[in-house]
């Protein structure tokens, strides 16, 4: 998408982006990913579809094929709000077609290069029926986790930044309640049968703890790193130690889904 594509909402500890998967193309991406193969660490590849594609499911299959051998895990992003119509892939019929074709491709890729976890990244702007459909299909097609969630198109009334009306996906602190609500819905629908990765507004130990209690097995950070820097990860871990002790538990695993089970 055209520049400008990213806007800080500093007063709201938030970001709006309308990136639209801007990049130099799949080959350049896969080459860069392959060039770091000797380095340690977990690096996942996030694949999407071109906005002008006649067959978007084919784009995902092609993307999977190019990054599979270089990635620790692969995420199919069907929830970016910045590629027109992409979120339509979350509808049951379209999602069945996509996941069926990805499962077929996955079998061949695993035979050639070995197994990789395959995740699906969903939007926070889903109703309960859509959550149930996605959860059912994620199990049927043997996905390894759901990432809940991408950015939101909602604009909460409490936003104060001058950039609050910019088009694009909203992330950061204002996304926390919205994304945690849909995370809880997925946890209720799945009943522990599939791991969930909580994303959206995680900026300290308390918000990370809330994601775990709502059903997440892990969390991801994005916008908070803009405002607090990479040392935030260590601070969250330190804060979680104290919070878990206050809860009377020894491990995050002891509180995963506590709110859903209650």
């Amino acid at each position: 998408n055209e520049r400008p594509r990213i806007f800080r909402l500093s007063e709201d500890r938030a970001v709006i982006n309308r990136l639209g998967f801007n990049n130099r193309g799949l080959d350049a991406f896969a080459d860069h990913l392959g060039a770091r193969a000797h380095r340690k660490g977990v690096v996942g590849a996030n694949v999407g579809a071109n906005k002008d594609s006649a067959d978007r499911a084919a784009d995902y299959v092609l993307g999977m094929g190019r990054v599979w051998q270089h990635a620790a895990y692969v995420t199919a992003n069907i929830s970016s709000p910045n590629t027109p119509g992409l979120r339509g892939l979350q509808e049951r019929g379209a999602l069945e077609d996509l996941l069926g074709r990805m499962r077929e491709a996955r079998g061949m890729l695993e035979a050639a290069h070995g197994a990789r976890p395959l995740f699906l990244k969903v939007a926070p702007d889903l109703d309960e029926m859509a959550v149930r459909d996605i959860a059912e299909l994620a199990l049927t097609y043997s996905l390894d986790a759901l990432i809940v969630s991408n950015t939101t198109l909602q604009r909460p009334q409490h936003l104060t930044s001058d950039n609050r009306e910019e088009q694009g996906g909203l992330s950061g602190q204002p996304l926390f309640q919205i994304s945690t609500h849909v995370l809880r819905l997925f946890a209720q629908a799945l009943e522990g049968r599939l791991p969930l990765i909580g994303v959206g507004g995680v900026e300290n130990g308390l918000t990370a703890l809330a994601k775990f209690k709502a059903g997440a097995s892990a969390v991801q950070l994005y916008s908070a790193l803009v405002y607090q820097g990479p040392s935030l990860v260590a601070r969250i871990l330190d804060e979680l130690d104290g919070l878990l002790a206050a809860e009377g538990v020894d491990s995050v695993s002891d509180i995963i889904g506590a709110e859903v089970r209650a």
Side-chain angles (χ1 to χ4, degrees), residues 31 51 58 61 83:
D31 288 345
K51 64 182 178 182
V61 170
T83 299

Side-chain angles (χ1 to χ4, degrees), residues 162-216:
D162 290 342
N163 288 325
R164 62 187 180 276
E165 298 300 332
E166 291 290 346
Q167 288 187 315
L170 174 70
S171 59
Q173 192 279 329
L175 177 59
F176 176 74
Q177 295 294 343
I178 298 167
S179 61
T180 305
H181 170 69
V182 77
L183 171 67
R184 196 174 293 112
L185 293 179
F186 272 107
Q188 291 168 345
L190 287 163
E191 298 179 327
R193 291 172 291 174
L194 191 69
L196 298 169
I197 300 169
V199 192
V202 178
E203 59 181 5
N204 52 35
L206 278 172
T207 47
L209 184 72
K211 294 289 189 186
F212 294 130
K213 286 186 172 182

Side-chain angles (χ1 to χ4, degrees), residues 57-256:
D59 284 4
Y60 285 90
V61 170
L62 179 63
M64 282 176 59
R66 288 290 282 115
V67 305
W68 192 267
Q69 63 181 310
H70 305 306
Y73 66 90
V74 177
T75 298
N77 182 348
I78 59 171
S79 51
S80 168
N82 300 311
T83 299
L86 189 75
R87 288 188 169 187
L89 291 172
Q90 295 176 128
E91 296 173 2
R92 187 179 183 96
L95 186 56
E96 281 191 283
D97 175 64
L98 173 64
L99 294 182
R101 291 161 72 173
M102 289 178 66
R103 181 169 64 180
E104 182 179 359
R106 182 183 189 178
M108 293 185 287
L109 289 168
E110 288 183 338
H113 304 294
R116 302 285 188 279
L118 181 60
F119 302 157
L120 189 71
K121 185 173 183 177
V122 300
D125 310 311
L126 297 169
D127 60 27
E128 292 190 34
M129 181 174 291
V131 167
R132 290 194 297 271
D133 284 346
I134 293 170
E136 178 185 333
L137 293 175
L139 293 169
T140 299
Y141 289 93
S142 303
L143 295 178
D144 295 287
L146 294 178
I147 300 178
V148 187
S149 67
N150 211 315
T151 57
T152 183
L153 290 171
Q154 298 180 51
R155 294 294 184 268
Q157 291 297 312
H158 59 75
L159 296 178
T160 60
S161 170
D162 290 342
N163 288 325
R164 62 187 180 276
E165 298 300 332
E166 291 290 346
Q167 288 187 315
L170 174 70
S171 59
Q173 192 279 329
L175 177 59
F176 176 74
Q177 295 294 343
I178 298 167
S179 61
T180 305
H181 170 69
V182 77
L183 171 67
R184 196 174 293 112
L185 293 179
F186 272 107
Q188 291 168 345
L190 287 163
E191 298 179 327
R193 291 172 291 174
L194 191 69
L196 298 169
I197 300 169
V199 192
V202 178
E203 59 181 5
N204 52 35
L206 278 172
T207 47
L209 184 72
K211 294 289 189 186
F212 294 130
K213 286 186 172 182
S217 297
V219 298
Q220 287 183 349
L221 310 179
Y222 290 93
S223 301
L225 295 173
V226 172
Y227 293 108
Q228 302 188 53
S231 63
L232 172 62
V233 176
R235 293 201 300 275
I236 288 177
L237 292 174
D238 286 342
E239 291 173 8
L240 276 174
D241 280 343
L243 291 167
L244 292 173
E247 295 274 342
V249 298
D250 298 322
S251 169
V252 164
S253 61
D254 296 327
I255 51 123
I256 291 173

